[in-house]
Amino acid sequence: FRKGKDIFNTIQSTGALDKIKGAVLKELSESRKEYDEASFNYAVSLSDNAGLFESEERYQKHKKLFLEVLKSTDSEDNTPLENAANLNDAGEMLYASGRFHAAEASFNKAKKIYEEEGQTASPLYAQVISNLGLLYHTTGRYATAEEFTLKALNLRKEIFKQEENSIYASSINNIGVLYKDMGRYNEAEQLLSKTVAVNEQTLGKKSVPYAISLNNLAMLFQAMGRLNAAEPILKEAITVAGETLKEKSTNYVRLMVNLALLYQEMGKYPEADDIYQKAIKIKERKLGTNHPDYAHLLNNLASLYMLMNKQGEVETLLKKAMGIYKKKFGENHPSYASTISNLGNFYRVSDRLDEAETYLKQTLQIRKETLGENHPEYVNALENMALLYWQKGQLQESSLYFDQVLTKVSEQINLYFAPMSEAEKTKFWDKVRPKFQRFNAFASEAYKEDPTVAGKMFNYQLATKALLLNATNKVKNQILSSGDQQLIKEYLSWLDDKENLARLYTLSKAELQEEKINLDSLEKAANAKEKALSSKSQLFSSGYIPEKISYEEIRKKLGPQEAVVEIIQLHKFNKIFTDTVWYATLVLTSDRPEPELILLENGNQLEKRYFAYYKNAIRQKVKDEHSYQQYWKKVENSISNKKTIYVSPDGVYNQINLNTLTLPDGRFLVDVKNVVLVTNSKEIIGLKSTTNQSTALTATLVGFPDYGNKGTITPLPGTKAEIEALKKMLASKSYKTTVYTGAEANEEKVKSINAPRILHIATHGFFIKEVEGAENEKVFGIELAKSKENPLLRAGLMLAGAEKAIEGTSENGILTAYELMNLLLDNTELVVLSACETGLGDVKNGEGVYGLQRAFQVAGAKSIIMSLWKVNDDATQQLMSSFYKNYLLHNDKQKAFKSAQLELKSKFKDPYFWGAFVLVE
């Protein structure tokens, strides 16, 4: 070291350092050419990680150069601005090489220099800010990414004084892709469409940025489910990129792979196959047949062939890929593990179970050693072992592995879920929910041999049912609008810590070591911030601290005449999920230590044939001779001596009213049982411990809107009488009421409602199940493309001016469920939707009904009364009058509602009249 230092001093004294510095900077400039400019100017939306090892190889090739550049920036021979520029250049290449920790440090040094030199209005400073935004986006720190990307956008707008500028367009693109990944699809579409237009105008339709912006728009449409719209845009992107980038660019292959994966999702398997073959040939010519990126594409092709049932080629492709990874990296590597995992699962599905066991065990060991036991891929390896032993009939071993899998997934939910947006939660849950579904299928088969699995099944259901209903996003909005700047700052810092941890848990041990990241210290820091937030803010702690409840706690709350029926819709699993639907009903009582599992294996008939029969019997007012036998008889055999039954429905059970089922002796279930509907069985603890509410006696009544004068919407004069009668009834009990009728029953008034104890709405509700037509058409004022994607845009209420809204001449008059979610109903005890079919919506298994019910639950309502079919106006008024009379007298919603049903039933025998409404807690 001393000798080296002496040589350095000699060089410095002879003036040779300037030559070396110049050579280093020249090499930096040359090496930059190996990187696509888009790698650090544009966020590129990808469906695949192809090209990963090319980035790694570039880093290894230029690693020494990066160190030289970073060392030279400490030299006093450079001007500060030269140092900043070099730091930014090195940071860009480190970022493009996947060295995010080092890149962040380099960018931040450059940022600090520009700020110290007063250069915060320069294009170079804007570039550094943009780069930091890209880096935070890539590493999943979305809140910080948004801050920096918007800052770069505003800086460039100020610098260039116009929006039709290609550099400014890159910032529009970056915020668009960020919003796409955050699930803010409407904003993302506007921004990415604008990027395409600006790049076409400024750079032309043959430029790389134009191709990338097309790709990003197509990826947004794919994420939104608009697959047919995505296809032509992505094909154009590939055509443009092919003319400019050709085979020199990794991004060209990535765009091709994006299209292949889109075709795979669309079921266009031959087209996907053709693209993979072309991509493989490109990699083969460029990199040869022993490169890991070539192996990666072979893996992709093998997964496609599994879907195409071309089983004969799968094994060959996977073994070839396995050989490449083994030769390149050895066996103790994540990519090798991924390939042998695919091969093991191929053998499992092919019933070659001994071969499968060999490879799946090896996968588990490699992932444990290289990734750690909290990595998602290690959890996948555990599940593969569970599935293997289930298939081999070794149920005890399978159960042990499932226990480990779901324990770890539950920990991931607690770790990741809180700070996510609604869309992010949905995507995350879509990824992990199949693990719970596979366990439920396993438990349904293993129950006879091991009854304890029913208790595990129940506890996992308590933890995850209606998981997406948790209104943490609303808590987030309330914190951000609280005005408490210190709380907001600490909250955003905590969000970033959680998002960063979520990314870091996907890295291998080697990558963490390379980046010099200590997970333990980061976890402790995040936990400390969470504790501090919890102690400072009741708003935070009530929304984010996970609540763990077991079936034992619920059982202790039950009386001798009570039972819980938790219903779970599942698909039979036979190596893979099948189309066979089962319903598992978990029955919990105080006199049995563990839940009983009752399996209904005719789920397909319950959802189609028998549901159609049930609806027809209701509409035609004829005796229903089958529904009780099909939907309830098996359950009744287990709870025949119980009077109050708490039911947490799933699937088709959300669409029928159990009270209306006809018993063999001619009575209805409502005559012999007290059925209480809950969204999740854990709500029972809250119902049991509810005391007299201290909420102020306030009510808001909305009804008899002035729809317009064209007569296209049937007026509801009965609702006017209903509102007037209810106002008098409430006033007699000292309620302060606010009434909106006629022209005042409009969107603005409803949106301004602030947590009344009772909210009563008497108007037309709607839910459109099927939406057909061109994407630029509108349904109830909502673009068809968007309403297809989101069922909450297809459900809503008709308010004043609704006729113009339907015609498309006004934006007001139709209040969608999507908008209703934002109402402030946190202290609202009861929402009554006194209208037709207000309980309808898309049924999402495990999540309930996506319609008005969902909207008011997210808004904070404790209980909702709604209807399942078109209701008789006179019968509805009588039901509501009787319900409120009893509720205001005894303050017991359940008893008041049942009394009202029975009173109406004494006048109208048919369930069509008295059974349309349900009360959900």
Side-chain angles (χ1 to χ4, degrees):
F1 171 79
R2 189 180 298 274
K3 182 178 179 182
K5 188 175 180 181
D6 290 341
I7 293 173
F8 182 80
N9 289 335
T10 302
I11 293 172
Q12 196 172 33
S13 64
T14 59
L17 187 60
D18 285 339
K19 294 181 181 179
I20 293 176
K21 184 176 76 171
V24 168
L25 295 180
K26 182 180 179 182
E27 188 181 347
L28 179 68
S29 177
E30 289 296 317
S31 65
R32 248 185 101 89
K33 295 176 183 178
E34 292 191 23
Y35 292 82
D36 294 324
E37 284 293 317
S39 295
F40 30 77
N41 289 328
Y42 271 79
V44 182
S45 190
L46 303 172
S47 293
D48 189 70
N49 64 347
L52 177 67
F53 293 108
E54 282 192 71
S55 297
E56 173 65 23
E57 287 171 356
R58 281 201 303 263
Y59 169 73
Q60 293 300 335
K61 179 178 179 181
H62 301 295
K63 184 176 181 179
K64 184 177 179 182
L65 171 64
F66 292 145
L67 295 175
E68 289 291 337
V69 171
L70 295 174
K71 189 192 301 180
S72 71
T73 58
D74 292 329
S75 170
E76 295 179 358
D77 296 302
N78 297 338
T79 68
L81 294 181
E82 284 177 334
N83 282 337
N86 293 342
L87 283 164
N88 181 62
D89 286 348
E92 285 183 339
M93 290 189 287
L94 285 164
Y95 163 67
S97 300
R99 289 310 189 269
F100 302 125
H101 190 70
E104 182 180 3
S106 194
F107 288 143
N108 275 320
K109 283 183 180 180
K111 174 176 173 286
K112 184 179 179 182
I113 292 171
Y114 284 125
E115 289 169 349
E116 288 174 345
E117 295 295 314
Q119 296 293 311
T120 56
S122 72
L124 291 174
Y125 179 72
Q127 179 68 27
V128 172
I129 298 300
S130 176
N131 287 339
L132 280 165
L134 280 173
L135 184 142
Y136 293 134
H137 180 180
T138 304
T139 54
R141 295 152 71 179
Y142 288 165
T144 308
E146 183 179 12
E147 175 191 342
F148 277 84
T149 307
L150 285 175
K151 184 176 180 180
L153 182 76
N154 292 327
L155 281 169
R156 285 169 168 172
K157 186 175 183 179
E158 189 65 29
I159 290 166
F160 297 110
K161 306 298 183 185
Q162 59 176 353
E163 296 187 5
E164 283 67 38
N165 177 284
S166 59
I167 298 176
Y168 180 70
S170 70
S171 280
I172 302 175
N173 170 83
N174 294 349
I175 194 68
V177 177
L178 176 63
Y179 284 164
K180 171 236 170 191
D181 291 343
M182 292 173 74
R184 294 163 64 173
Y185 293 151
N186 291 343
E187 295 163 275
E189 184 173 355
Q190 291 175 358
L191 291 162
L192 293 175
S193 296
K194 185 174 182 178
T195 306
V196 171
V198 173
N199 280 333
E200 180 181 352
Q201 180 182 338
T202 58
L203 300 174
K205 297 180 75 170
K206 292 187 177 181
S207 66
V208 174
Y210 178 72
I212 289 172
S213 57
L214 284 173
N215 167 78
N216 293 344
L217 185 61
M219 290 293 94
L220 170 67
F221 287 162
Q222 183 177 0
M224 296 165 75
R226 294 161 63 179
L227 306 183
N228 291 328
E231 180 186 356
I233 298 172
L234 193 49
K235 287 170 77 172
E236 184 184 354
I238 289 173
T239 300
V240 174
E243 292 175 0
T244 307
L245 300 175
K246 298 193 176 177
E247 296 179 15
K248 295 181 180 179
S249 172
T250 299
N251 276 332
Y252 177 67
V253 177
R254 285 173 161 177
L255 297 185
M256 289 180 65
V257 171
N258 278 351
L259 184 58
L261 291 167
L262 174 65
Y263 281 152
Q264 205 162 311
E265 189 174 346
M266 295 173 75
K268 294 185 174 183
Y269 298 149
E271 290 89 339
D273 187 8
D274 183 55
I275 291 173
Y276 278 137
Q277 298 290 356
K278 289 177 181 176
I280 286 170
K281 286 179 181 177
I282 289 172
K283 288 286 186 182
E284 189 174 330
R285 286 197 296 270
K286 183 179 179 183
L287 305 171
T289 58
N290 291 310
H291 195 279
D293 284 354
Y294 178 75
H296 178 80
L297 289 175
L298 296 182
N299 257 327
N300 279 10
L301 188 60
S303 69
L304 174 66
Y305 284 171
M306 284 285 286
L307 294 173
M308 296 175 71
N309 205 27
K310 295 173 73 170
Q311 309 290 352
E313 300 182 54
V314 172
E315 185 176 5
T316 302
L317 288 166
L318 290 176
K319 284 192 169 181
K320 191 172 183 180
M322 183 178 73
I324 294 169
Y325 284 132
K326 184 176 180 178
K327 184 176 180 181
K328 181 72 178 178
F329 303 122
E331 293 187 0
N332 204 35
H333 190 274
S335 295
Y336 177 80
S338 178
T339 309
I340 64 171
S341 174
N342 291 340
L343 190 58
N345 277 313
F346 170 71
Y347 287 147
R348 178 181 63 79
V349 174
S350 304
D351 281 322
R352 296 161 62 177
L353 300 184
D354 290 339
E355 292 169 279
E357 186 170 5
T358 299
Y359 283 113
L360 294 179
K361 277 185 173 179
Q362 189 180 357
T363 302
L364 185 67
Q365 187 60 33
I366 294 171
R367 285 180 170 164
K368 182 177 181 180
E369 292 176 2
T370 61
L371 304 177
E373 296 186 25
N374 291 318
H375 196 283
E377 290 300 332
Y378 177 74
V379 178
N380 289 339
L382 288 170
E383 188 183 23
N384 287 334
M385 295 300 298
L387 296 176
L388 172 70
Y389 286 128
W390 178 12
Q391 202 167 321
K392 293 182 79 171
Q394 297 173 228
L395 300 185
Q396 292 239 343
E397 290 87 343
S398 179
S399 184
L400 290 172
Y401 277 109
F402 269 124
D403 286 346
Q404 294 181 69
V405 170
L406 298 188
T407 297
K408 289 185 177 298
V409 172
S410 298
E411 289 170 355
Q412 289 175 5
I413 291 171
N414 289 338
L415 177 68
Y416 302 157
F417 219 65
M420 290 182 179
S421 70
E422 187 78 10
E424 290 167 341
K425 287 176 182 173
T426 300
K427 289 180 180 179
F428 178 76
W429 183 229
D430 285 345
K431 284 184 178 180
V432 300
R433 185 171 179 240
K435 297 185 187 303
F436 291 94
Q437 293 172 316
R438 280 185 280 268
F439 172 75
N440 287 342
F442 163 77
S444 298
E445 291 186 10
Y447 174 69
K448 290 182 181 178
E449 182 175 314
D450 180 12
T452 64
V453 296
K456 296 174 184 177
M457 192 178 185
F458 205 123
N459 284 340
Y460 291 131
Q461 190 73 351
L462 290 172
T464 62
K465 191 169 191 179
L467 186 65
L468 298 177
L469 189 57
N470 191 317
T472 49
N473 199 38
K474 187 175 179 181
V475 174
K476 174 181 177 179
N477 292 335
Q478 289 176 333
I479 289 176
L480 295 180
S481 61
S482 66
D484 186 337
Q485 295 305 314
Q486 185 60 33
L487 173 64
I488 292 170
K489 182 179 179 181
E490 292 175 11
Y491 174 75
L492 290 174
S493 176
W494 174 78
L495 277 185
D496 273 347
D497 286 352
K498 301 283 277 187
E499 290 167 353
N500 192 36
L501 276 172
R503 178 189 71 87
L504 295 177
Y505 282 126
T506 67
L507 301 182
S508 68
K509 290 180 178 178
E511 288 169 321
L512 291 170
Q513 189 173 4
E514 172 76 27
E515 292 277 296
K516 297 180 181 177
I517 293 167
N518 187 323
L519 272 181
D520 289 341
S521 62
L522 292 174
E523 286 171 342
K524 288 175 182 176
N527 290 337
K529 286 181 183 178
E530 185 172 342
K531 287 179 181 178
L533 279 166
S534 298
S535 63
K536 290 180 182 178
S537 171
Q538 179 63 33
L539 186 61
F540 176 88
S541 60
S542 64
Y544 282 105
I545 302 302
E547 184 182 24
K548 294 181 180 179
I549 293 175
S550 68
Y551 75 84
E552 290 94 339
E553 294 172 74
I554 297 172
R555 188 176 68 83
K556 290 174 184 177
K557 294 280 186 180
L558 297 178
Q561 295 296 308
E562 295 180 320
V564 178
V565 177
E566 180 70 50
I567 299 172
I568 304 174
Q569 191 254 35
L570 56 95
H571 281 261
K572 183 179 180 181
F573 190 86
N574 182 17
K575 301 175 187 174
I576 58 173
F577 281 118
T578 70
D579 293 331
T580 300
V581 177
W582 288 347
Y583 277 86
T585 56
L586 295 168
V587 178
L588 186 66
T589 60
S590 61
D591 50 8
R592 281 197 294 257
E594 292 182 341
E596 178 185 1
L597 192 156
I598 300 165
L599 191 63
L600 307 180
E601 298 184 32
N602 63 336
N604 297 82
Q605 290 179 309
L606 293 178
E607 293 181 350
K608 295 176 182 176
R609 174 185 170 189
Y610 289 115
F611 179 56
Y613 172 84
Y614 170 80
K615 289 193 298 182
N616 187 60
I618 291 289
R619 281 195 298 259
Q620 300 298 322
K621 305 179 186 67
V622 298
K623 185 178 180 181
D624 185 337
E625 297 180 343
H626 298 291
S627 296
Y628 174 80
Q629 184 71 29
Q630 297 300 326
Y631 290 104
W632 197 251
K633 183 65 170 68
K634 283 188 176 180
V635 178
E636 180 62 30
N637 291 339
S638 181
I639 56 171
S640 57
N641 62 335
K642 309 298 180 186
K643 294 295 291 182
T644 297
I645 316 299
Y646 296 94
V647 179
S648 176
D650 198 11
V652 72
Y653 283 83
N654 284 295
Q655 298 172 288
I656 65 173
N657 185 346
L658 291 171
N659 279 326
T660 64
L661 301 184
T662 308
L663 278 62
D665 62 8
R667 293 181 296 168
F668 295 95
L669 194 62
V670 72
D671 296 318
V672 297
K673 300 288 185 186
N674 179 32
V675 176
V676 180
L677 295 180
V678 293
T679 55
N680 186 318
S681 294
K682 68 183 178 184
E683 308 296 343
I684 295 166
I685 292 179
L687 290 174
K688 287 280 188 177
S689 58
T690 298
T691 57
N692 290 331
Q693 299 296 323
S694 59
T695 311
L697 298 180
T698 58
T700 300
L701 315 179
V702 182
F704 191 52
D706 180 4
Y707 301 125
N709 56 15
K710 295 189 176 181
T712 54
I713 300 176
T714 305
L716 298 172
T719 63
K720 184 177 182 181
E722 181 180 322
I723 294 294
E724 289 173 350
L726 181 54
K727 181 182 178 182
K728 291 179 182 177
M729 200 180 299
L730 290 165
S732 70
K733 296 294 182 181
S734 302
Y735 269 77
K736 181 181 178 182
T737 59
T738 303
V739 177
Y740 300 127
T741 58
E744 281 202 315
N746 57 43
E747 277 196 44
E748 184 181 356
K749 296 293 187 183
V750 173
K751 287 179 178 178
S752 69
I753 291 171
N754 189 359
R757 184 168 183 175
I758 295 173
L759 172 59
H760 184 99
I761 302 177
T763 183
H764 287 297
F766 67 88
F767 174 72
I768 305 169
K769 188 173 184 180
E770 301 289 341
V771 184
E772 297 297 336
E775 290 198 346
N776 59 353
E777 291 180 20
K778 291 188 176 183
V779 177
F780 289 129
I782 305 296
E783 288 183 22
L784 200 59
K786 292 182 173 63
S787 65
K788 283 180 180 178
E789 298 150 16
N790 189 345
L792 294 176
L793 293 174
R794 288 184 271 121
L797 298 170
M798 297 184 190
L799 299 171
E803 287 185 339
K804 288 185 178 180
I806 291 174
E807 290 173 354
T809 58
S810 173
E811 294 184 358
N812 296 316
I814 297 293
L815 195 56
T816 65
Y818 188 78
E819 295 171 289
L820 286 163
M821 286 194 301
N822 293 320
L823 294 184
L824 297 173
L825 303 179
D826 291 311
N827 294 313
T828 298
E829 287 297 313
L830 176 66
V831 170
V832 178
L833 302 176
S834 176
C836 299
E837 301 180 317
T838 49
L840 300 188
D842 273 1
V843 175
K844 295 185 180 291
N845 296 316
E847 282 297 316
V849 181
Y850 269 62
L852 291 171
Q853 175 186 346
R854 178 76 170 197
F856 283 105
Q857 286 174 318
V858 171
K862 307 295 188 296
S863 305
I864 304 168
I865 292 177
M866 58 198 176
S867 60
L868 297 178
W869 54 78
K870 293 186 185 299
V871 291
N872 176 276
D873 203 24
D874 182 49
T876 298
Q877 286 186 54
Q878 292 187 47
L879 179 76
M880 293 300 162
S881 177
S882 176
F883 165 72
Y884 277 108
K885 180 179 66 177
N886 284 283
Y887 176 53
L888 295 174
L889 189 63
H890 301 294
N891 196 32
D892 188 319
K893 287 171 286 190
Q894 290 290 341
K895 287 183 179 178
F897 186 68
K898 181 166 184 178
S899 294
Q901 280 188 314
L902 292 175
E903 185 178 324
L904 192 61
K905 180 173 168 289
S906 67
K907 300 177 183 179
F908 302 98
K909 179 184 176 182
D910 291 312
Y912 169 80
F913 296 100
W914 58 264
F917 286 89
V918 292
L919 168 60
V920 178
E921 298 282 5

